[in-house]
Amino acid sequence: MGRAPCCAKVGLHKGPWTTKEDALLTKYVQAHGEGQWKSLPKKAGLLRCGKSCRLRWMNYLRPDIKRGNITQEEDDLIIRLHSLLGNRWSLIAGRLPGRTDNEIKNYWNTHLLKKMQRNQQTCDVTTDHDEQEQPKKKNNNKKKKRNNKEKKNDKKKGTNNDDKEEEEKIQVYLPKAIRIKALNLPRTDSGSFTYESNSSNGSQQKEGTQQVTNNNNNNNNVVCEVGEKGENDGFGHDYDYDLVNVERLEMECESYFDTCGDHGTLDRLYDEYLQLLNMDVCNYEFDSSFVESFFDSNNN
DNA sequence: AAACAGAGCAACCGCGTTTTC
DNA sequence: GGAAAACGCGGTTGCTCTGTT
């Protein structure tokens, strides 16, 4: 059983893509469409593994990729979605047109994590307990960077600090990612839900669309009217997203579960959140009321 | 000016899930 | 129904750039 690693083939290019490779891949995908990643490199004349091609296309070459800085609205939305979904980057990316899961993951790890840590430091009424718990993540981050450096140095020096690192490992309890199998929602290129306009060209993704179309495999389309709405996120911010907002996600899920009557996945998700909220180890600010209302509405 | 450290991000890797045969 | 292949996701790595000493 098991699969042979697709990139183990000898003679395949690795590392940064050249403009020539980009051009070949773009040309091929434009001519033949996405998919068949395994056989694509051969057909396109690329010395890359299919996985690498897919990644390059999805994260960089797709024409609908929005490049440039993350806006404040997107920033807020990412934080809010992360509080709801955890590290489900592709789901989060699906709510941000033109953004990729990889981009959001990187942005979270490099910007938002620090931002939230800063906020927590300034806002928290610090107790001794908090002071002990909070730096864990921060230290972990720094540790990673330090480890990279150490590894580099180790390479030079020929030493190995792995045993020491093992001792120092700090256990951080984070929710285990579970896939929402039951949600057969249409996906964007990045593998997440998509939302479509009511126009004849239903495949075109549009920003600020007014309807959310929710297709499942039985062709039971669930269409939710979605209006722009200012709301409070429970953290004291007012939101008026031009982008797809969290409310839409709730509505989509609500509609879906109403249709199929499957609450098992939501129950699991809710259990996961409850466990997390009960765990004092993460010292992480959850908007529990928001989460609870989300699940309550689906269970009623 | 050189060395070092940290930040940012593209790309890789491993594994779980889904699809195909 | 089971095995293999394909796909997709999240975590991690390592390279490059920039700022600091």
Side-chain angles (χ1 to χ4, degrees):
Chain A
M1 275 250 282
R3 280 168 304 151
C6 77
C7 297
K9 288 177 183 166
V10 184
L12 293 185
H13 287 176
K14 285 173 79 173
W17 280 64
T18 64
T19 48
K20 195 183 171 185
E21 286 175 315
D22 282 347
L24 279 171
L25 179 57
T26 306
K27 200 177 168 186
Y28 185 87
V29 174
Q30 279 171 353
H32 299 92
E34 294 175 24
Q36 303 293 314
W37 295 110
K38 183 87 175 176
S39 57
L40 185 147
K42 209 175 177 180
K43 292 176 184 169
L46 286 160
L47 282 168
R48 293 271 181 177
C49 74
K51 216 172 180 178
S52 183
C53 292
R54 181 187 157 273
L55 202 74
R56 183 65 178 172
W57 175 257
M58 294 298 192
N59 288 338
Y60 199 80
L61 297 174
R62 273 190 308 162
D64 57 334
I65 298 260
K66 192 198 285 180
R67 308 214 70 84
N69 294 340
I70 303 268
T71 64
Q72 186 57 48
E73 284 81 10
E74 288 173 315
D75 187 291
D76 289 339
L77 186 52
I78 292 168
I79 292 171
R80 203 158 132 74
L81 282 168
H82 187 271
S83 76
L84 179 68
L85 299 166
N87 293 0
R88 294 169 177 94
W89 304 116
S90 64
L91 279 177
I92 295 172
R95 321 313 303 170
L96 293 151
R99 300 294 184 189
T100 70
D101 52 355
N102 206 33
E103 188 179 10
I104 288 167
K105 182 171 60 181
N106 284 333
Y107 186 72
W108 176 266
N109 288 330
T110 54
H111 292 89
L112 296 180
L113 218 51
K114 285 175 216 156
K115 188 176 163 184
M116 290 173 84
Q117 283 162 357
R118 271 202 310 273
N119 286 348
Q120 205 154 28
Q121 269 180 344
T122 52
C123 296
D124 262 9
V125 181
T126 54
T127 62
D128 287 346
H129 174 75
D130 287 342
E131 279 166 10
Q132 281 177 352
E133 294 291 351
Q134 203 208 317
K136 278 187 180 177
K137 269 189 175 177
K138 203 172 184 177
N139 288 343
N140 232 15
N141 248 353
K142 281 195 172 179
K143 189 170 188 287
K144 187 207 142 193
K145 285 290 180 187
R146 210 172 57 238
N147 284 344
N148 280 345
K149 292 291 170 189
E150 282 172 3
K151 278 175 189 169
K152 277 182 190 172
N153 290 338
D154 288 348
K155 274 185 185 174
K156 286 178 192 169
K157 293 175 192 170
T159 59
N160 190 347
N161 285 338
D162 280 355
D163 295 342
K164 199 180 168 187
E165 285 166 18
E166 199 64 39
E167 284 175 18
E168 289 174 3
K169 267 184 186 166
I170 298 164
Q171 199 173 2
V172 179
Y173 296 91
L174 289 171
K176 193 187 173 201
I178 55 171
R179 284 165 200 250
I180 309 175
K181 278 195 283 187
L183 274 172
N184 285 317
L185 299 173
R187 312 186 104 187
T188 64
D189 286 338
S190 61
S192 303
F193 312 142
T194 190
Y195 56 106
E196 299 168 346
S197 73
N198 233 12
S199 67
S200 55
N201 186 5
S203 62
Q204 278 290 332
Q205 220 174 320
K206 284 178 74 176
E207 282 186 39
T209 186
Q210 279 128 27
Q211 289 194 327
V212 173
T213 308
N214 193 355
N215 300 318
N216 61 23
N217 282 350
N218 302 323
N219 282 335
N220 286 332
N221 289 3
V222 182
V223 180
C224 312
E225 291 290 341
V226 177
E228 300 302 337
K229 186 184 174 186
E231 63 170 340
N232 190 287
D233 68 346
F235 293 110
H237 303 114
D238 286 324
Y239 287 93
D240 187 16
Y241 297 124
D242 188 31
L243 299 158
V244 189
N245 60 28
V246 175
E247 195 176 9
R248 289 182 185 167
L249 174 67
E250 293 170 38
M251 291 176 77
E252 283 176 5
C253 292
E254 207 172 322
S255 302
Y256 178 80
F257 286 105
D258 282 345
T259 314
C260 68
D262 177 6
H263 295 280
T265 308
L266 276 176
D267 287 342
R268 284 208 309 279
L269 267 170
Y270 187 45
D271 285 345
E272 185 181 316
Y273 267 103
L274 280 181
Q275 276 178 18
L276 221 115
L277 289 166
N278 290 334
M279 272 185 225
D280 204 17
V281 288
C282 276
N283 192 27
Y284 191 88
E285 284 277 330
F286 288 102
D287 182 8
S288 56
S289 61
F290 174 73
V291 174
E292 276 165 15
S293 67
F294 170 64
F295 286 104
D296 283 346
S297 65
N298 286 300
N299 284 325
N300 290 335

